[in-house]
Every structure is written in C-alpha cells, then in structure tokens.
Amino acid sequence: MFVVCVKVWVKPDHLKEFIQATLANARGARTEPGNLRFDVLQCQGTESEFMFYEVYQNEEALRAHQQTEHYLTWRAAVEPWMAQPRQGSRYMSLFPDDQDWE
C-alpha cells in the first residue's frame, strides 16, 4: 500500500470553510477505486493544524486522485486559506500486509 501524510496549517479565520471543503474532498476520495483510507485529523490544542492520512493501493491511485474534480476544487478553494504551504510525505506501508487492508 502507498500512504501519504499531509500537514496543513490554516489561517484561523478560515477554519470552518477549510473543514467543509476538506470533508467534501475526503468523501470524494473514499469513492475512488484505489483509495482505501482518507483520515482528516485536527490537532488537539492547535486547531489550525491538520493532518491527512491517506492510503492508496499504489502511487498511480494517488496520481488519479490528484486529477479528480473534487481534489482540484479543494486545492483551488483552500490555497488562499493556508497559513503556509502544505507539506506531504509519502510512505510504503509495512503493516498490515496488503491483503489485510479492506
């Protein structure tokens, strides 16, 4: 499995809109055939900091996600609301085994 962790820092006066747009993107991602997980996490104590934990069957599925209408809409909407550029890291999942993902 291919995992992406993305950290996002949002301007405090745009939290509500950011969350709404992000949840729409996450719900759209979960309908994609190559997406296995899309968690949206808000930092406890620093409510303007978010982490996305995304699991795809492979890197091609991530690239397909980045071409979807819901992702492109999300990216355009949230860009001016970010306090700094988002930071993403890519990982290969070691556990659970690929066949154990559902």
Side-chain angles (χ1 to χ4, degrees):
M1 293 302 125
F2 189 74
V3 179
V4 179
C5 296
V6 180
K7 288 194 82 168
V8 181
W9 295 266
V10 179
K11 296 173 184 174
D13 54 330
H14 292 287
L15 287 175
K16 184 176 180 180
E17 304 100 301
F18 176 81
I19 291 170
Q20 289 174 343
T22 297
L23 294 180
N25 179 49
R27 287 183 186 108
R30 292 298 293 129
T31 68
E32 298 167 27
N35 179 271
L36 300 173
R37 188 171 189 110
F38 198 118
D39 295 353
V40 178
L41 310 170
Q42 186 175 22
C43 184
Q44 212 172 15
T46 309
E47 65 180 12
S48 60
E49 181 182 330
F50 295 83
M51 168 73 76
F52 306 156
Y53 179 80
E54 307 172 44
V55 180
Y56 298 90
Q57 289 177 336
N58 49 45
E59 193 168 0
E60 291 75 31
L62 168 64
R63 285 195 292 268
H65 164 68
Q66 292 171 329
Q67 300 305 311
T68 62
E69 184 176 342
H70 55 264
Y71 172 78
L72 295 172
T73 299
W74 172 83
R75 191 176 74 178
V78 303
E79 195 69 36
W81 303 335
M82 292 185 186
Q84 64 186 66
R86 64 187 186 276
Q87 296 177 357
S89 299
R90 297 175 181 209
Y91 300 88
M92 295 304 300
S93 177
L94 300 178
F95 182 85
D97 290 332
D98 286 359
Q99 67 270 11
D100 294 333
W101 281 94
E102 295 187 30

